[in-house]
Amino acid sequence: MGEEASRVVMITGGSRGIGRATAYAFAEEGARLVLAHYDPDETAAEETLAVLKSRGIAAESHRVDVSSYPVVTALLNDILDRFGRIDVLVNNAGITRDKILVRMSEEEWDAVIQVNLKSVFNCTQAVLKPMLKQRSGCIVSLSSVVAERGNFGQGNYAASKAGVLGFTRSVAREVASRAIRVNAVAPGFIETDMTAVLPEKVKESFIEQIPLGRMGHPEDVANAVYWLCSDKAAYLTGQVIHVNGGMYM
Ligand code: NAP
C-alpha cells in the first residue's frame, strides 16, 4: 500500500468518464473511495464499483444531486460520521446543455450553472470544515479549455467552467495557511459520453485544432488530477493544469 492507503477520497461524477478513471487512479494506491452519481439507471455506477471491488478497493457510490446544498451536507456528515476524515475532494460532476445564446432557455442556463458551479461550492464548503480542523486536504475541480477560449453554443458551460477557475484561486488563498491545496484541471477534448454525442463533423473539426492530433483519454486527465493530489505537487495551489493536447496554450 502506498501513501494513499488511509486517505478518504470523494469524487463527484465518479460513475463514468473522467471521474471513473480518476477513481481507478486513486484505487491503485488503496484509497477509500466515496463516489457520487445521479442517473437513476445506476448501471455505470455499479460497473465502476464492481471493477473497484475486483481490485480489492473499499468503495461506495451514492445517488445524489450534488447541486443540492442540503443533500451534499447530509452526505458529507454521513462520511465524516463513518470515516472520521476527508482528505481529497474531486469536483468532477458536470453536464452540458448546448445552445446558442439567443435560443438558450433559462432552464438550460440554470441547470448547467447549478451542476457545474453550485455543486463545487456545495462540496468544497462541506469538506473544508473538516479539512480546516485536520490542517490538511486537497481539492481539485474540473474546469475546461472553453473557460479560457469560449465555445460556440456553450455560453452557459463556459461561464460555469470560468467560474470554477475564479472560485479555485479565491479559495486557494483563503485556506493555504492551513496546508489545504485547491487547484483546477482544464481538459480539452476528451473521449467520454459527454463528447460521444457530438456529430462526427464537429469532432473532426476539434481534432484538427489539437496539435497532438487526437482526443484525450479519460486517463490523461485522471493522471493530472491524481498528481495534483500527491506530495509531488505539494507546492502547487491556486493553479490550473491544462490537459488538452496543445489545443490551448
Ligand atoms: P460524463 O462522462 O458525462 O460524466 C459525468 C459524470 O457526472 C457522471 O458520473 C454523472 O453521473 C455525473 N453527474 C452529472 N450530473 C450530476 C449531478 N447532478 N449530481 C451528481 N453527479 C452528476 O462527463 P466527463 O466527460 O467524464 O466529464 C467530467 C468533467 O470534466 C465534467 O465536469 C466536464 O464538464 C469536464 N470536462 C470534460 C471534457 C470532455 O471533453 N469530456 C472537457 C472539458 C471538461 P451519472 O452517470 O449518474 O449521470
Side-chain angles (χ1 to χ4, degrees):
M1 295 269 212
E3 65 177 69
E4 322 301 334
S6 62
R7 291 207 289 187
V8 179
V9 176
M10 176 168 165
I11 303 171
T12 69
S15 58
R16 296 187 279 126
I18 293 167
R20 174 188 270 176
T22 304
Y24 294 166
F26 278 99
E28 298 226 344
E29 295 291 337
R32 287 173 286 174
L33 292 168
V34 180
L35 312 179
H37 64 279
Y38 191 48
D39 196 331
D41 173 359
E42 303 193 77
T43 311
E46 283 161 11
E47 281 170 7
T48 305
L49 289 180
V51 170
L52 290 167
K53 197 176 167 200
S54 73
R55 295 179 189 177
I57 296 301
E60 52 191 68
S61 193
H62 300 262
R63 183 173 178 259
V64 288
D65 179 2
V66 288
S67 69
S68 163
Y69 189 85
V71 164
V72 168
T73 307
L75 175 61
L76 257 298
N77 285 340
D78 174 52
I79 293 170
L80 289 172
D81 280 350
R82 290 183 297 116
F83 294 98
R85 60 183 298 118
I86 178 91
D87 299 287
V88 172
L89 166 67
V90 182
N91 285 310
N92 166 80
I95 59 168
T96 53
R97 294 287 184 273
D98 297 353
K99 207 64 81 64
I100 57 169
L101 194 65
V102 289
R103 300 225 178 101
M104 189 179 289
S105 67
E106 186 183 0
E107 288 72 25
E108 286 161 340
W109 171 269
D110 286 345
V112 169
I113 299 296
Q114 286 284 324
V115 176
N116 295 6
L117 186 56
K118 170 88 184 302
S119 73
V120 175
F121 161 73
N122 292 343
C123 297
T124 304
Q125 195 188 56
V127 300
L128 269 183
K129 288 167 190 165
M131 283 181 178
L132 286 166
K133 275 195 204 145
Q134 289 167 202
R135 292 181 174 265
S136 69
C138 200
I139 298 165
V140 176
S141 302
L142 273 291
S143 178
S144 167
V145 67
V146 307
E148 305 281 0
R149 43 173 272 175
N151 198 23
F152 188 95
Q154 288 201 309
N156 49 0
Y157 184 79
S160 71
K161 294 301 185 179
V164 165
L165 296 185
F167 177 86
T168 296
R169 292 172 179 134
S170 301
V171 179
R173 289 182 187 277
E174 292 178 15
V175 299
S177 64
R178 300 285 183 102
I180 301 165
R181 298 187 297 105
V182 188
N183 292 291
V185 170
F189 191 42
I190 312 300
E191 241 169 355
T192 68
D193 294 344
M194 187 175 270
T195 50
V197 294
L198 295 172
E200 276 310 309
K201 267 195 165 179
V202 174
K203 282 192 201 171
E204 281 162 22
S205 78
F206 272 122
I207 292 169
E208 276 167 20
Q209 300 168 46
I210 303 172
L212 285 179
R214 66 165 174 90
M215 291 177 75
H217 305 305
E219 294 74 19
D220 292 324
V221 182
N223 288 340
V225 173
Y226 181 75
W227 177 78
L228 274 172
C229 298
S230 75
D231 286 346
K232 309 268 186 218
Y235 200 51
L236 274 85
T237 197
Q239 303 303 308
V240 49
I241 306 292
H242 294 274
V243 183
N244 59 29
M247 192 179 183
Y248 169 83
M249 27 175 123

